[in-house]
Amino acid sequence: MADGYLEKHQQDYEQRKANYLRRKQHLPPLKNRPARPDDEAL
């Protein structure tokens, strides 16, 4: 459980960092898209 918790917070941090850096460069923010499986037939 702790690993999932840390991974989620790491992903949230990376998303906030990417949005901050894009704003700093005056670019539009990235949209938060859910991860899709490799095989969409599943």
Side-chain angles (χ1 to χ4, degrees):
M1 181 176 150
D3 290 336
Y5 176 81
L6 294 175
E7 288 174 6
K8 175 66 175 149
H9 282 279
Q10 181 68 24
Q11 291 171 355
D12 291 344
Y13 166 76
E14 294 292 338
Q15 183 68 34
R16 287 192 316 268
K17 181 179 175 183
N19 285 335
Y20 166 76
L21 292 174
R22 290 184 68 79
R23 275 196 319 265
K24 187 176 176 183
Q25 297 173 0
H26 303 291
L27 298 174
L30 297 174
K31 295 186 179 185
N32 191 8
R33 297 181 183 171
R36 296 188 318 184
D38 292 336
D39 184 16
E40 293 184 14
L42 295 175

